[in-house]
Amino acid sequence: MVEGGIAKPDKTEFSECWKTTWKTPYIMRLSLSAGIGGLLFGYDTGVISGALLYIREDFQQVEKKTWLQEVIVSMAVAGAIFGAAFGGWINDRFGRKPSILVADILFFVGAIVMALAPAPWMIIIGRIFVGLGVGMASMTAPLYISEASPARIRGALVSTNGLFITGGQFLSYLINLAFTHAPGTWRWMLGVAGLPAVVQFFFMLSLPESPRWLYRRNKVEEARSILEKIYPANEVESELIALRNSIEAEKADEQAIGDNFIAKMKGALSNVVVRRGLYAGVTVQVAQQFSGINTVMYYSPTIVQFAGFASNKTALALSLVTSGLNAVGSIVSMAFVDRYGRRRMMIVSMFGIISCLVILSIVFFQAASHAPKISQLESTHFATNATCPSFLSASNPTSWNCMSCLKAECAFCANGANEYSPGACLAKTSDLETLCHAQHRTWFKDGCPSKFGFLAVVFLGLYIISYSPGMGTVPWIVNSEIYPLKYRGIGGGIAAVFNWVCNLIVSLTFLTLTKALGSSGTFLLFAGYCVIGLVFIYWFVPETKGLQFEEVEKMLKSGYKPLASKTKSTRGENQSA
């Protein structure tokens, strides 16, 4: 990838970045154009959470089948797994620029297919196309930026890709909110995603290929002409020499271990340092996903509705807060990760995540326990065949509350005078929903009226604040530092595959879990996963702050011991001071 790995930005580097890009706007043009790939990634992650609310209203089979909702959400993740793998081959064979262009085409096609979809299966096909584009863009954009950036500001420029991702998520919630009353709602939400793909496509047409890729293909003069636009004239020759030395060393490594995937994999797994690095790298990636973050990003409005906010618009507005906090958290991480260390930030983050998940579990349990009762009088207030069939046939209907009604696949029409008072349990049909609203009542089909709902939103926000600066960004930093240089690509790739696969598992099972265990049980389950993740992070993940790559390699070769991490970290700080 990059000579010496991706540098980590600090305050000095951000200052240098500003000065350099001000003098050479071409550098910022390269970075921002490629960084739109991160925007696409973030937008797709967030937009489906709001669009799903309206897809369910338009297609009854989606409303009735939880697994179909999960498939619509998670197929983009499945596509991303293959997109990342396919993108790696295109990157090596045809270059970084063609890979980004292909990603834009795939994303645009997917957005159009989803926007025009006449049935759920077409939405799923569109999601797969979008996922393929996201997978390719997510790995290619930071690679292109890093290889087309001056070394002294590389970390700061690469970090803009992370800001684009969280910014894209925030933008998706704004777009969702903007189209809540527009005809076609979800079609606009999903279709708008094609616009940034078109913008990036045309921007990239006017930009060059990565100088590193060109030099590796013996196109030295083309590489030189690009470097001349990036570096001052007196630095171009030295950069060419550094590029030549790096690529020669890389080719020597390939000759030693083989340049095909099988040979590289065998070489990596037979190396004790790489194996121990994978213990750490895979641990943090799996822990990141099983902290439940993508249940929040993919299903945030649905979770808000579980908490008792029935309005789609209200759910989207409250979800906007969580995505905004996620974006702020990524900035906090950039400011503090080099000061306090990777390991410490992840451990503190996990403690915060576990606390918030446990409290959320308690809040949802209390909300379910204090859900409004079902009134037989209220339920028969509507048409004679309107009452929920399961309620009518129940052996003890007086014990039913709103949650009992929802579990029976029915809906709760709140009391007109006070929604916390006993209400009606009705069959879940669009006609009865319209009738309920016509009587100025609120229709609940995902959650129940609850005085605890506000607490759920507060602790959802605190969960994001705990997650984003630590477990949100640090696992990727750890994976860029934990492997020997010649195995860094394959080590990071293996860990990334684990990340995507776990992402797929979590997104594909969340609604099923909430149906089986309830919201309270599901959040408690994720808290249990986080406790296991915290233990693994403590035992397998070393502190790499302030350590040279060679020092990290020596530490892993001798065997990492948690109690010695403080000593090693202190020694690294002293040596780097």
Side-chain angles (χ1 to χ4, degrees), residues 309-568:
F309 296 92
S311 164
N312 286 348
K313 187 173 182 179
T314 301
L316 288 171
L318 291 173
S319 299
L320 187 64
V321 176
T322 62
S323 63
L325 291 172
N326 196 30
V328 171
S330 64
I331 299 173
V332 172
S333 177
M334 290 161 57
F336 292 103
V337 70
D338 284 319
R339 181 180 301 178
Y340 296 110
R342 293 82 166 107
R343 177 182 162 86
R344 182 184 297 177
M345 286 194 70
M346 285 191 292
I347 289 175
V348 171
S349 178
M350 287 297 271
F351 273 112
I353 290 169
I354 292 167
S355 300
C356 289
L357 286 174
V358 170
I359 294 172
L360 280 169
S361 177
I362 295 170
V363 168
F364 278 104
F365 178 79
Q366 290 296 321
S369 301
H370 294 83
K373 293 288 186 180
I374 300 299
S375 165
Q376 194 155 5
L377 179 64
E378 285 283 314
S379 299
T380 55
H381 167 75
F382 296 86
T384 53
N385 61 345
T387 307
C388 174
S390 298
F391 176 71
L392 291 175
S393 60
S395 58
N396 187 17
T398 56
S399 66
W400 274 47
N401 65 12
C402 172
M403 290 304 299
S404 311
C405 181
L406 300 190
K407 287 178 182 178
E409 301 293 332
C410 293
F412 180 78
C413 183
N415 190 301
N418 181 357
E419 65 179 23
Y420 301 115
S421 300
C425 184
L426 307 177
K428 190 161 60 174
T429 68
S430 56
D431 289 340
L432 287 174
E433 181 178 0
T434 302
L435 188 58
C436 179
H437 287 151
Q439 296 190 15
H440 305 290
R441 299 170 175 233
T442 306
W443 180 262
F444 293 88
K445 59 183 179 180
D446 295 303
C448 294
S450 174
K451 295 178 181 179
F452 298 93
F454 178 72
L455 280 177
V457 175
V458 168
F459 281 99
L460 204 60
L462 290 175
Y463 165 85
I464 292 292
I465 292 173
S466 299
Y467 167 85
S468 186
M471 291 306 297
T473 55
V474 177
W476 299 103
I477 296 174
V478 169
N479 272 281
S480 72
E481 299 174 329
I482 203 72
Y483 310 108
L485 181 59
K486 62 183 176 182
Y487 293 114
R488 191 161 298 139
I490 195 166
I494 291 171
V497 168
F498 271 89
N499 183 284
W500 281 111
V501 170
C502 292
N503 186 335
L504 179 62
I505 292 170
V506 169
S507 61
L508 196 55
T509 59
F510 176 68
L511 293 179
T512 300
L513 284 172
T514 56
K515 190 173 181 181
L517 304 176
S519 302
S520 176
T522 302
F523 282 113
L524 193 60
L525 180 64
F526 281 119
Y529 289 148
C530 288
V531 171
I532 297 171
L534 177 60
V535 172
F536 273 73
I537 288 172
Y538 178 80
W539 283 106
F540 292 110
V541 183
E543 180 56 76
T544 56
K545 182 192 76 166
L547 298 180
Q548 299 297 324
F549 290 129
E550 295 78 9
E551 290 183 287
V552 175
E553 189 169 345
K554 287 178 183 178
M555 176 172 56
L556 292 175
K557 184 177 290 186
S558 61
Y560 168 68
K561 296 178 179 61
L563 297 178
S565 63
K566 186 175 181 180
T567 303
K568 290 179 181 291

Side-chain angles (χ1 to χ4, degrees), residues 5-20:
I6 297 175
K8 296 299 166 294
D10 57 20
K11 185 177 180 181
T12 305
E13 188 171 341
F14 278 115
S15 176
E16 180 68 20
C17 178
W18 174 255
K19 292 178 183 177
T20 303

Side-chain angles (χ1 to χ4, degrees), residues 186-218:
W186 62 270
R187 298 183 185 277
W188 285 104
M189 294 172 182
L190 299 175
V192 164
L195 291 179
V198 171
V199 171
Q200 184 180 46
F201 183 87
F202 285 104
F203 276 176
M204 290 303 301
L205 287 177
S206 64
L207 292 175
E209 181 52 80
S210 155
R212 181 181 179 82
W213 187 87
L214 290 171
Y215 198 102
R216 189 176 170 83
R217 292 299 183 279
N218 297 317

